[in-house]
Amino acid sequence: MQWHARFTFKQIADELRKCWSLKEVESWYGLMLKNNTSQDCFLMNQYITACSNVHCIDSAIFAFSQVENPNIFVYNAMIGASVNCFRPLEALRYYVDMLKNGVCPSSYTFPAVIKSCRLLSIAKFGECIHSQVLRNGFGLHIHVQTAFVDFYSSLGRFVESTKVFDEMSERDGFAWSMMISAHARAGDLNSARKLFDEMPEKNTATWNTIIHGYVEAGDLESAEELFNKMLKKDVISWTTMINCYSKHKRYREALELFHEMKSAGTRPDEVTMATVISACAHLGALDQGKEMHSYVMQYGFDIDVYIGSALIDMYAKCGVLERALVVFFKLWDKNLFCWSSIIDGLAVHGYAEEALAMFDKLEKEKFGPNGVIFVSVLAACTHAGLVEEGKRRFLEMVNKYSIVPQIEHYGCMVDLLCRVGLLEEALGLIRSMRMQPNSVIWGALLGGCKIHKNLEIASVAVDRLMILEPENSGYYTLLVNMFAEANRWSDVARIRAMMKERGVEKIWPGSSWIEVEKKMHQFAACDNYHPASEEIYSVLDVLDSELKLFGYALQFDFIL
């Protein structure tokens, strides 16, 4: 581009607004220096704003430092640029410097200053700013009031935020959204919904705010109701509901909504893709997971730590460990979720030594492991029966990394000890726990007793399980079978009578999922709800007859 000196101030300002790279912005600053216009406050205001737009605060700071007498517009630009470039403390310093130099603030000074106080969570300074706003006569300016609604609500100070909101002569969509969001964050969805219903013109952001509030509160029905009423949905709307279904373990609905989103012409973002890939992982839907991976590659998504960890987890859960490893090693940046997913995948598939080696690699990479990763490490030891290694890693977690053992860590250790028959040691560990053992812990102990035929400790476990889960028939059934195997029929009769007296029965058996032509089908033992159940049972009868011809017969391990 040919630079020359015959640009008017307006032309330079217009060109600065069009700049999209730092090189362009600094070229115009060079022209301003050449023409001796770098002291002009109007042009400096435009230049600092242009630097902010390309997120280069250092160039703005240098140019500002060369201005001898910056006016309020230059200061406003510098304060706004500091906030935009995530330097709120710098913004407050420029504000104080402005006051020291006798430059009076305008109403447009305060929104950025108030936002800085919010980002830094400094309530006292924010209150001082509020006093200055009132003293300067800007207390009724809508953009200033909206900033204070945001500031007070983010600090959980609903009395102050409501007072400012009520004083507003007119309210824009952002102010309404802030108040609704404040009530939703506090869990007061009744007040949030009341404000939402009162809002004269609801924008998409406000719809998203109230839906997100219901999602966080676990109110799926209300979230669905509002989502279905939305006339215009953006990517945040769709992603919020997809995430809602995933949180409630309704993974099939999450995938269906994703396809509906694409059909509606809304392009997903990285958060959406990470969520739907995770849903595929929970369903074991490998074909759909591969399809999501292809979609990510086709549309040029950045495979960041979130999508990356979701892909690793999906391939590992679907049994394609090789692809999980390929994704892991191709990631430029890895966080603890990525490491945890790959260690857990290796552990679940029986590659205990490889999982432990991966953990050692994590330590060499100077990552500080967390409690989640140690669950995967202990699980690897459990799957391989590495008792001494498991004990060593457990102590290392406590002593080396100062991680307080949680219920999941104790669960892994109890399971590990039970698998190799160290039932007394497992019971001792349970009794030494700092928290109350849950049903998973006692269930693991009971499972170990079943394997190693220890009725005494099994009775202790069942006594605790009857208190924790009195209506769960599985534990009773397991104990009945153990007594039957030991020919203790009086105890079998006693447990059965207890079950009958307490009304314990197997109401709904466990279910399984299978993916056929990208559709998920759910089955449970003895159910006939599937539309193709007649054909399925017909095929099973044929298979049963064929097996009998070859001398195979069904064996039942359970009496109940």
Side-chain angles (χ1 to χ4, degrees):
M1 184 175 183
Q2 188 72 30
W3 303 102
H4 54 81
R6 291 193 298 272
F7 284 103
T8 65
F9 282 13
K10 183 179 183 304
Q11 286 174 324
I12 294 175
D14 290 342
E15 292 299 324
L16 280 169
R17 293 189 193 101
K18 297 175 186 175
C19 291
W20 59 273
S21 70
L22 178 61
K23 185 177 180 181
E24 282 184 286
V25 174
E26 290 186 335
S27 296
W28 284 105
Y29 184 62
L31 181 66
M32 289 162 59
L33 290 172
K34 182 178 179 181
N35 291 342
N36 296 319
T37 56
S38 60
Q39 293 297 317
D40 183 85
C41 288
F42 171 74
L43 287 182
M44 187 50 55
N45 175 16
Q46 301 301 318
Y47 174 72
I48 292 171
T49 303
C51 289
S52 173
N53 291 338
V54 297
H55 294 282
C56 186
I57 190 66
D58 293 333
S59 295
I61 290 171
F62 173 78
F64 178 83
S65 67
Q66 304 303 306
V67 182
E68 294 176 3
N69 295 301
N71 66 8
I72 182 57
F73 300 105
V74 178
Y75 269 111
N76 284 351
M78 202 61 220
I79 292 168
S82 299
V83 176
N84 191 47
C85 295
F86 310 107
R87 294 196 186 178
L89 191 58
E90 294 279 342
L92 296 182
R93 284 174 179 159
Y94 283 115
Y95 175 72
V96 173
D97 183 63
M98 179 187 77
L99 297 180
K100 285 181 179 178
N101 290 330
V103 179
C104 293
S106 69
S107 66
Y108 293 99
T109 307
F110 291 106
V113 173
I114 298 163
K115 185 176 180 180
S116 299
C117 295
R118 177 178 67 79
L119 293 172
L120 294 168
S121 297
I122 44 178
K124 292 295 182 184
F125 199 94
E127 289 172 353
C128 293
I129 299 298
H130 200 164
S131 298
Q132 290 178 13
V133 165
L134 297 174
R135 188 164 59 248
N136 283 277
F138 301 131
L140 297 179
H141 287 242
I142 183 172
H143 51 282
V144 178
Q145 288 176 310
T146 302
F148 275 118
V149 169
D150 182 31
F151 168 70
Y152 285 122
S153 64
S154 68
L155 296 176
R157 297 175 62 169
F158 303 112
V159 174
E160 291 90 339
S161 60
T162 302
K163 184 175 183 295
V164 175
F165 183 79
D166 290 340
E167 289 173 351
M168 296 177 75
S169 57
E170 56 178 309
R171 300 160 182 152
D172 59 9
F174 184 71
W176 282 96
S177 294
M178 282 301 101
M179 280 307 301
I180 293 168
S181 177
H183 287 299
R185 279 200 305 268
D188 185 4
L189 287 170
N190 290 330
S191 298
R193 185 61 182 268
K194 183 181 177 184
L195 277 176
F196 177 79
D197 292 336
E198 290 174 1
M199 188 174 178
E201 293 183 14
K202 301 173 180 65
N203 56 31
T204 305
T206 311
W207 282 91
N208 292 340
T209 299
I210 190 70
I211 291 172
H212 179 74
Y214 280 120
V215 169
E216 289 299 304
D219 189 346
L220 177 58
E221 290 72 22
S222 297
E224 277 183 319
E225 174 209 340
L226 286 172
F227 180 78
N228 292 330
K229 286 181 180 178
M230 284 185 76
L231 298 177
K232 186 179 179 182
K233 304 178 178 77
D234 62 8
V235 64
I236 297 174
S237 317
W238 291 99
T239 303
T240 300
M241 274 312 299
I242 291 169
N243 185 48
C244 179
Y245 283 128
S246 293
K247 276 188 173 182
H248 286 80
K249 300 183 180 181
R250 290 170 58 172
Y251 306 113
R252 187 165 51 175
E253 286 95 326
L255 293 180
E256 288 171 356
L257 193 62
F258 172 74
H259 292 301
E260 187 181 332
M261 171 187 177
K262 289 199 299 179
S263 299
T266 303
R267 182 178 171 179
D269 62 10
E270 282 79 6
V271 178
T272 320
M273 295 310 303
T275 304
V276 294
I277 292 168
S278 179
C280 293
H282 284 93
L283 288 172
L286 179 59
D287 288 345
Q288 293 196 61
K290 286 180 179 178
E291 185 180 301
M292 300 304 171
H293 194 175
S294 298
Y295 186 91
V296 164
M297 301 298 291
Q298 180 182 350
Y299 287 95
F301 283 89
D302 177 27
I303 301 185
D304 56 13
V305 290
Y306 302 105
I307 292 180
S309 60
L311 284 170
I312 293 165
D313 188 47
M314 184 272 295
Y315 281 124
K317 279 188 167 68
C318 293
V320 191
L321 197 55
E322 296 81 4
R323 287 204 178 195
L325 287 164
V326 168
V327 173
F328 177 80
F329 285 115
K330 279 189 174 182
L331 281 175
W332 287 102
D333 186 27
K334 301 177 181 71
N335 66 1
L336 285 175
F337 290 108
C338 302
W339 287 97
S340 179
S341 297
I342 198 64
I343 292 170
D344 188 58
L346 289 164
V348 167
H349 289 285
Y351 295 98
E353 297 293 341
E354 290 80 357
L356 295 175
M358 191 67 77
F359 177 79
D360 293 337
K361 183 176 174 62
L362 175 146
E363 289 184 306
K364 289 178 183 176
E365 296 282 343
K366 305 300 181 185
F367 276 92
N370 58 12
V372 176
I373 286 183
F374 268 103
V375 170
S376 300
V377 170
L378 296 175
C381 297
T382 300
H383 286 298
L386 304 174
V387 178
E388 295 306 318
E389 184 69 17
K391 289 180 180 179
R392 185 177 74 81
R393 299 285 183 173
F394 185 82
L395 291 174
E396 183 181 82
M397 177 185 76
V398 177
N399 298 328
K400 182 177 179 181
Y401 293 104
S402 302
I403 297 173
V404 178
Q406 300 301 313
I407 200 83
E408 296 85 3
H409 304 112
Y410 283 113
C412 289
M413 289 304 297
V414 169
D415 193 15
L416 172 59
L417 295 170
C418 288
R419 287 188 184 214
V420 296
L422 299 174
L423 302 175
E424 293 284 354
E425 189 174 343
L427 182 58
L429 179 63
I430 292 171
R431 286 173 171 166
S432 71
M433 289 171 59
R434 295 180 179 180
M435 70 283 292
Q436 285 294 323
N438 61 10
S439 59
V440 176
I441 299 287
W442 289 111
L445 182 63
L446 180 59
C449 293
K450 173 70 169 68
I451 294 170
H452 298 284
K453 304 184 186 306
N454 190 317
L455 277 166
E456 287 70 25
I457 295 180
S459 298
V460 174
V462 170
D463 285 342
R464 300 304 305 168
L465 288 164
M466 285 178 181
I467 296 170
L468 293 168
E469 295 186 6
E471 296 181 358
N472 189 327
S473 65
Y475 307 126
Y476 293 93
T477 303
L478 195 58
L479 189 60
V480 164
N481 291 326
M482 290 178 68
F483 281 133
E485 288 173 3
N487 292 320
R488 291 171 57 170
W489 300 107
S490 60
D491 289 314
V492 169
R494 178 174 58 83
I495 299 297
R496 281 180 168 172
M498 187 187 301
M499 291 177 68
K500 187 175 181 180
E501 180 185 338
R502 297 181 179 181
V504 178
E505 57 182 13
K506 195 168 186 178
I507 298 172
W508 182 250
S511 60
S512 301
W513 299 81
I514 187 169
E515 182 183 16
V516 180
E517 295 180 352
K518 298 180 182 178
K519 289 187 178 180
M520 302 305 299
H521 300 266
Q522 185 178 12
F523 299 94
C526 303
D527 82 70
N528 57 359
Y529 296 106
H530 194 277
S533 58
E534 286 189 19
E535 293 89 335
I536 292 169
Y537 284 114
S538 176
V539 171
L540 287 173
D541 289 338
V542 172
L543 290 173
D544 183 43
S545 300
E546 293 289 333
L547 287 169
K548 286 177 180 177
L549 288 174
F550 286 95
Y552 291 100
L554 292 173
Q555 292 183 350
F556 297 96
D557 292 329
F558 295 98
I559 292 171
L560 222 61

